Amino acid sequence: MSYRKFLKKMKPKEQRKDLEKVEQKSIGTSITENLNIIKQKTGNSPDIIIRMLTFSHDPEVSTAIVHVDGLVDNPTINEFLVQSMEDSVQEKLEEKDLFKVFSEKVVAVSSLETLKDWDSLFLALLSGDTVILADGKNEALIASTRGGERRLVEQSDSEITLRGSKEGFTESINTNTALVRRIIKNPNLWVESMNLGKQTNTDLSIMYINGIVDTDIVKEVRQRLARVNLDAILDSGYIEQVIEDESSGLFPTITHTERPDAVAGNLLEGRVAIFVSGTPHVLIVPAVMIQFFQTPEDYYVRFPISTLIRMLRVFMFLISLIGPAFYVAVTTFHQEMIPTDLLIIIASQTESVPFPAIVEALIMEVTFEILREAGLRMPNKISATISIVGALVIGQGVIQAGIVSPAMVIVVATTAIASLATPNYDIAISARLLRFAFMLSAAIAGFYGIILGLIMLIVHLASLRSFGIPYLTPLAPLEWKSLKDTIIRGPIWSFNERPESLHPQNPVRQGKNQKPLPPLKRRMVRADTKEGDKNES
């Protein structure tokens, strides 16, 4: 049964309401009514610019150009839309062929599209496209003119490296995908676009390399994004919190970056990148824990140096996690582990302190967290002053007042520096929160409490998944071939295969004969190869 026949059997009042809904969704033929709908829908906002054009051969046929000021590229509209249409007013145009002539002969922009419903029209208009309406046409011509003021490509403030690219992502999703395409010039680099957010209609894109990425991972990403039904998407963090495997945990299971080379490296391993309009942070899935201790610069230097730096990062993470807890446990329960001379010094310092070690640690840790948060939110000029006040005035003041001992100040300061040296902010803040739990466990049971806490932490990490991939991969489950790119970073010429845990379609990354050889040895290998070829012949 057709929709019109179905309406005839309905009651008159219900039929009128249903027809009104259909008419509201479809663009009408009267340009005056269409423009009135646009004005009413947008509250007659002054940034909705409407330019009327009338062709000389038929003054009754009017054309309107509608766009949002600030979201469009004004030179494109003036030169390739308005000027081109004004130059063609002398051409004899028939009303029924108006949009066809515009598309083929008049409008000189790269992308043109025809729409017939209001929802798509408003989405295109508020995304920065220009809408062309004509009298007597029940459709609209959409010209791609997105532009406006945008931040230039600059170096990322949160991921600074001494070597490598200095380009960082911006808030423009088109600019961000283009930055990755400049690195990976491969037609198999595919991008899929969508809109999320019932009110914001935020542009979102997923990027992956077809032929490398596991199709199950791409399918899982699509399914999780399709389930998103939020009112607004203001940052990639909104997406991260609704698509990750476990959002209530302290440890992140999705990583993000502002660097195009980092995204390119992960795509080449078989991962998927998620771009969100309005933010420079690009999500990368799936993610494992060891990724949060790696930086793109690790692959730009020789492998012994990179390995030592990675070991140092892991060591600093452990200090930021259990440093104060270790001091509390030693000074409270295990004094016999401290050398006698050092124990006498610590005892003399804590003699005048009225609080136990756990209270000292909590006071200093909470004070430093307050200073850290205040310095992070203050303007740059004021944050430097807060750092000086925190380091000199408060640090020296609590020692002279006898609230904490100098040894505790040193331990807390070392822990703070170690947490700041962790390359990823998400994993560093997880250690900051768990640090208090370890301090309490150390105050209750000493080293036994710390060991019990570490066991519970490892069990929890082993239970985590990121899009089905175990969080501690390749350590648990153990993957021998992937161990060369964990805490230890093997030489570049040894990365012959992609990570097994990602199940890439093409596991081969590069040829096996990439190891550099000295000139004399290279000549000997060539001679042996030629002699072997002769013997075979």
Side-chain angles (χ1 to χ4, degrees):
M1 182 184 297
S2 66
Y3 190 69
R4 293 290 178 180
K5 292 181 180 179
F6 174 74
L7 289 176
K8 289 181 180 180
K9 292 188 176 183
M10 296 174 62
K11 296 179 181 179
K13 187 179 290 187
E14 296 177 353
Q15 183 176 344
R16 285 197 303 270
K17 289 182 179 179
D18 213 345
L19 281 172
E20 288 176 0
K21 292 181 180 179
V22 175
E23 291 174 357
Q24 288 177 357
K25 291 183 179 180
S26 302
I27 300 174
T29 57
S30 174
I31 190 172
T32 304
E33 294 180 0
N34 292 337
L35 292 178
N36 288 334
I37 292 176
I38 293 176
K39 292 178 181 179
Q40 293 174 5
K41 194 74 173 178
T42 58
N44 203 18
S45 302
D47 58 345
I48 305 297
I49 308 301
I50 300 176
R51 175 72 180 271
M52 299 296 299
L53 295 175
T54 303
F55 293 93
S56 58
H57 78 282
D58 191 352
E60 295 182 357
V61 179
S62 300
T63 305
I65 300 177
V66 187
H67 66 270
V68 181
D69 189 24
L71 298 181
V72 298
D73 185 24
N74 289 319
T76 301
I77 294 178
N78 295 331
E79 296 178 14
F80 300 105
L81 287 181
V82 178
Q83 190 64 40
S84 298
M85 296 175 72
E86 288 180 347
D87 293 342
S88 63
V89 295
Q90 302 299 330
E91 185 178 353
K92 187 176 181 180
L93 302 176
E94 296 182 6
E95 182 182 346
K96 61 180 181 179
D97 297 326
L98 191 61
F99 281 175
K100 183 178 180 181
V101 175
F102 282 168
S103 302
E104 297 178 355
K105 299 181 180 180
V106 179
V107 179
V109 295
S110 59
S111 177
L112 287 172
E113 184 182 2
T114 303
L115 299 177
K116 293 187 177 182
D117 61 288
W118 283 110
D119 292 339
S120 301
L121 184 146
F122 281 111
L123 178 59
L125 178 65
L126 297 175
S127 297
D129 294 331
T130 298
V131 177
I132 303 174
L133 297 171
D135 210 2
K137 303 289 289 186
N138 62 343
E139 56 187 8
L141 194 64
I142 307 299
S144 177
T145 57
R146 301 185 184 187
E149 296 295 332
R150 295 177 178 174
R151 185 168 64 93
L152 299 177
V153 177
E154 301 173 348
Q155 183 176 0
S156 171
D157 294 331
S158 60
E159 299 178 68
I160 299 176
T161 57
L162 299 177
R163 188 171 181 177
S165 173
K166 304 302 179 183
E167 292 181 333
F169 289 127
T170 68
E171 287 72 22
S172 172
I173 191 171
N174 294 329
T175 301
N176 295 343
T177 54
L179 289 174
V180 179
R181 285 196 179 276
R182 289 180 184 177
I183 301 175
I184 305 178
K185 303 178 181 65
N186 188 341
N188 290 322
L189 182 62
W190 288 6
V191 178
E192 299 179 10
S193 301
M194 61 189 72
N195 296 97
L196 293 179
K198 292 183 292 185
Q199 301 297 330
T200 58
N201 282 312
T202 305
D203 294 328
L204 182 142
S205 297
I206 61 174
M207 177 181 286
Y208 56 90
I209 301 179
N210 184 46
I212 293 181
V213 67
D214 185 8
T215 55
D216 291 337
I217 294 179
V218 179
K219 183 179 179 181
E220 183 67 22
V221 172
R222 292 197 195 104
Q223 291 177 350
R224 296 193 185 190
L225 291 175
R227 292 196 299 264
V228 175
N229 190 24
L230 298 178
D231 198 51
I233 306 293
L234 303 181
D235 185 80
S236 59
Y238 283 63
I239 299 294
E240 179 181 357
Q241 296 176 61
V242 295
I243 68 172
E244 60 184 348
D245 292 57
E246 184 178 349
S247 59
S248 59
L250 293 179
F251 287 87
T253 55
I254 295 177
T255 183
H256 60 83
T257 181
E258 294 185 58
R259 294 179 60 91
D261 54 348
V263 173
N266 283 278
L267 291 176
L268 291 170
E269 286 187 347
R271 293 183 173 88
V272 179
I274 303 175
F275 296 79
V276 180
S277 179
T279 174
H281 297 277
V282 176
L283 304 179
I284 298 174
V285 296
V288 294
M289 186 175 181
I290 196 61
Q291 282 184 261
F292 296 94
F293 299 98
Q294 301 173 351
T295 65
E297 193 175 18
D298 294 346
Y299 302 93
Y300 304 152
V301 297
R302 292 183 297 276
F303 71 94
I305 300 173
S306 178
T307 299
L308 291 175
I309 293 176
R310 284 189 180 181
M311 291 181 176
L312 182 61
R313 290 181 193 140
V314 175
F315 178 67
M316 290 187 295
F317 175 77
L318 293 176
I319 290 178
S320 65
L321 185 65
I322 62 174
F326 184 86
Y327 179 81
V328 170
V330 168
T331 55
T332 306
F333 295 97
H334 311 285
Q335 295 91 346
E336 68 278 1
M337 297 183 63
I338 307 175
T340 304
D341 296 338
L342 180 59
L343 181 61
I344 294 173
I345 296 174
I346 294 175
S348 62
Q349 292 177 352
T350 57
E351 185 178 2
S352 59
V353 178
F355 304 111
I358 180 61
V359 177
E360 290 184 67
L362 290 176
I363 291 174
M364 289 304 300
E365 285 292 342
V366 171
T367 303
F368 185 81
E369 291 298 330
I370 293 173
L371 290 172
R372 189 207 302 261
E373 192 65 20
L376 183 65
R377 306 303 171 190
M378 290 291 104
N380 293 333
K381 295 181 180 179
I382 303 178
S383 62
T385 305
I386 292 178
S387 300
I388 296 174
V389 170
L392 298 180
V393 179
I394 296 180
Q396 188 67 23
V398 294
I399 294 175
Q400 293 180 352
I403 298 176
V404 297
S405 63
M408 179 60 73
V409 174
I410 295 174
V411 171
V412 172
T414 304
T415 304
I417 295 173
S419 65
L420 293 174
T422 305
N424 188 277
Y425 177 78
D426 292 338
I427 202 75
I429 199 171
S430 300
R432 286 163 53 186
L433 295 175
L434 288 173
R435 187 186 309 155
F436 292 93
F438 275 101
M439 286 191 297
L440 294 175
S441 63
I444 295 173
F447 280 160
Y448 298 102
I450 296 177
I451 294 173
L452 180 61
L454 289 174
I455 293 174
M456 296 174 62
L457 178 61
I458 294 174
V459 171
H460 171 67
L461 294 175
S463 66
L464 294 179
R465 296 290 186 274
S466 178
F467 284 75
I469 306 299
Y471 195 56
L472 293 182
T473 303
L475 300 176
L478 187 62
E479 296 179 2
W480 288 102
K481 294 182 179 179
S482 301
L483 289 177
K484 65 183 68 175
D485 193 18
T486 52
I487 300 176
I488 299 174
R489 203 226 81 183
I492 292 295
W493 47 263
S494 66
F495 292 160
N496 301 322
E497 297 180 358
R498 296 182 172 87
E500 296 180 5
S501 59
L502 298 176
H503 306 290
Q505 298 183 52
N506 181 13
V508 179
R509 181 183 298 187
Q510 62 189 15
K512 295 184 178 181
N513 298 324
Q514 302 294 321
K515 184 177 180 180
L517 297 174
L520 179 60
K521 191 173 182 180
R522 191 182 305 124
R523 287 197 297 268
M524 294 175 61
V525 170
R526 290 177 180 174
D528 293 341
T529 304
K530 292 180 180 178
E531 185 176 353
D533 294 340
K534 290 180 180 179
N535 294 332
E536 289 180 0
S537 61

